[in-house]
Amino acid sequence: MKSYWTLLRTPGVSRLIGAQLTARFPFGMLSLAFLIHIEQIFDSYGAAGLVLGAMSIGQAIAGPLTSRLMGQLGMRPVIIATMFICAVSIVVMALVPLSVLSLMLIGFVAGLSTPPIQPAVRTIYPKIVNSRQLTPLFSLDASAQEIIWVLGPVIATFVALQVSTTAGILLAAFFLVAGGIWFVSLPEVGRVRIPRSRRKLGVVLKKPAVLLSTIVGFTLVAACAAVEAGVVAVFGHGSADAGWVLGIFAVGSLIGGLALGHTPIGPWALASRMLIVTIGLALASLWLTFWWLSLALLVAGVGIAPAFAVLFGIVSASVKFSDTAEAYGWVGTGQLIGAAMGSAIAGFSIDQSGPVSAIYVAAGFAALGCIIPALGRRWHPDLRGRDISPIPDTEPIQVQVS
């Protein structure tokens, strides 16, 4: 813990973490808030899954595009423009009576305009700490973001049940705008310039570590999305228990991130962390009671933040600085496609076979996320004792020969 406190005292670190957590906090609330909101309107988890899926697909398309735009236009203009469009779209979805198709279309726009906060902050981190601090910082960041998933579901469920689902969605929009303004006002956001990438869009995916991180991130987030839908279906929208269980799930991730944050990243790092998630989700499918689900998901959560920290670390060590934002954009795209697939498949499986089927879906995705890095471990960088800072960009220098 001493090293984490030292990190937080490093100039710029604590305010960057605080601002980006606030700006991204709505996405810990929106999935559950929209799930409850749309299920109440249409009496169908499948309809809710379609809308959430459309939103996630929009986010997935936007990931590498908006990240790359930050290298061309700057971080602040891109984040401000997308923040405004996204907030307006979310408010319209909350206040205007719409059909499922219309909600899907506006949800897609909201996803397409999601501010690229995560790629921006991951790009800034290597510029404000030294190379030895970068691995612990990625772990601290992955752990801290679990605050989003601890408090987000609880607040979304509480507001939806005690006030209204509309109020929960509007509160998320407020966090989006307030956090986004805080983030873009930080001096670090203005100081760090992302060099314009000279590569074509998507070429960075040829880096094995980036592709591996994108695929495993897809399976991990799909598992989490399926669990979220399954837990809500177990307890129904008339109970706050779903929010508490999902909060405990995130507490496990927070514990795992802090406990394993300094563990060296070897070739088996990703597979071993995904194995923890798989075991916990498999246990969760045995009994669908509050205490058993809480215990099993606490176990599953222990692997989540450490897995994300490995994803960030192997990407950082494998690409040039000018490609980092796009690389993280693609990793985010993988995660968001996973959210779309996990929500949609779980929603339809619940309608057909009941809540436990969503837990089976989640365990299956997690198992896939364990098998893939185990089979592809030769493409997994061994970062033990290595600097994981991005590769510096170099440019040819004109030399005059006399």
Side-chain angles (χ1 to χ4, degrees):
M1 292 302 298
K2 183 179 179 181
S3 63
Y4 290 126
W5 286 119
T6 301
L7 265 177
L8 289 173
R9 288 197 297 269
T10 301
V13 169
S14 59
R15 63 188 175 218
L16 266 173
I17 291 178
Q20 63 107 351
L21 287 179
T22 306
R24 292 170 54 216
F25 192 80
F27 300 100
M29 299 175 60
L30 282 174
S31 292
L32 196 54
F34 274 127
L35 188 71
I36 298 171
H37 182 72
I38 296 167
E39 193 277 334
Q40 284 187 354
I41 294 173
F42 297 102
D43 193 27
S44 170
Y45 284 103
L50 285 172
V51 175
L52 291 174
M55 184 180 292
S56 296
I57 291 171
Q59 290 174 316
I61 294 171
L65 296 178
T66 54
S67 299
R68 194 176 177 92
L69 275 175
M70 288 193 295
Q72 299 173 345
L73 305 177
M75 291 187 190
R76 281 175 171 156
V78 173
I79 291 173
I80 290 170
T82 53
M83 175 183 67
F84 175 77
I85 297 170
C86 186
V88 170
S89 301
I90 290 170
V91 170
V92 169
M93 293 175 72
L95 297 179
V96 181
L98 298 167
S99 66
V100 173
L101 180 59
S102 297
L103 284 169
M104 288 175 64
L105 291 173
I106 299 176
F108 177 77
V109 172
L112 198 61
S113 57
T114 300
I117 302 290
Q118 191 172 29
V121 77
R122 303 262 186 273
T123 303
I124 293 170
Y125 282 155
K127 298 300 181 181
I128 63 171
V129 299
N130 61 48
S131 59
R132 289 181 296 102
Q133 294 177 305
L134 198 51
T135 297
L137 179 55
F138 279 139
S139 183
L140 177 63
D141 179 87
S143 301
Q145 75 176 355
E146 291 309 316
I147 295 171
I148 297 170
W149 310 111
V150 171
L151 296 180
V154 175
I155 292 175
T157 305
F158 178 80
V159 174
L161 297 179
Q162 299 302 320
V163 186
S164 70
T165 55
T166 299
I169 297 168
L170 293 178
L171 181 61
F174 169 78
F175 277 117
L176 173 66
V177 174
I181 292 172
W182 181 15
F183 184 79
V184 297
S185 69
L186 295 179
E188 291 78 15
V189 177
R191 284 199 297 263
V192 175
R193 295 285 188 271
I194 303 174
R196 186 186 295 266
S197 177
R198 301 180 186 281
R199 300 170 183 266
K200 292 182 179 179
L201 180 68
V203 171
V204 72
L205 281 173
K206 292 183 179 180
K207 295 284 186 180
V210 177
L211 185 59
L212 182 65
S213 295
T214 301
I215 294 171
V216 176
F218 160 84
T219 62
L220 177 55
V221 176
C224 293
V227 163
E228 186 173 276
V231 169
V232 171
V234 167
F235 297 105
H237 54 66
S239 169
D241 286 349
W244 290 109
V245 170
L246 293 172
I248 291 169
F249 185 31
V251 167
S253 180
L254 179 62
I255 293 169
L258 295 177
L260 302 177
H262 290 80
T263 305
I265 299 176
W268 288 96
L270 202 47
S272 62
R273 286 153 176 77
M274 289 300 298
L275 180 61
I276 298 172
V277 181
T278 304
I279 291 171
L281 294 179
L283 291 172
S285 67
L286 297 179
W287 294 285
L288 302 183
T289 64
F290 176 86
W291 290 110
W292 180 256
L293 280 173
S294 298
L295 178 61
L297 293 183
L298 181 69
V299 172
V302 169
I304 292 177
F308 278 124
V310 173
L311 295 178
F312 304 148
I314 64 176
V315 169
S316 176
S318 303
V319 300
K320 291 185 176 182
F321 179 65
S322 59
D323 291 326
T324 52
E326 185 188 338
Y328 287 125
W330 283 111
V331 173
T333 289
Q335 294 171 15
L336 292 162
I337 293 174
M341 294 290 290
S343 295
I345 294 174
F348 283 110
S349 66
I350 291 166
D351 286 343
Q352 296 296 319
S353 306
V356 71
S357 63
I359 311 297
Y360 294 148
V361 169
F365 274 119
L368 189 61
C370 178
I371 293 169
I372 290 172
L375 295 178
R377 62 188 180 278
R378 63 176 178 159
W379 295 296
H380 187 302
D382 187 348
L383 303 181
R384 291 173 293 186
R386 280 184 52 191
D387 180 0
I388 69 166
S389 300
I391 301 166
D393 286 272
T394 57
E395 295 182 357
I397 300 174
Q398 296 294 329
V399 178
Q400 186 174 1
V401 180
S402 58

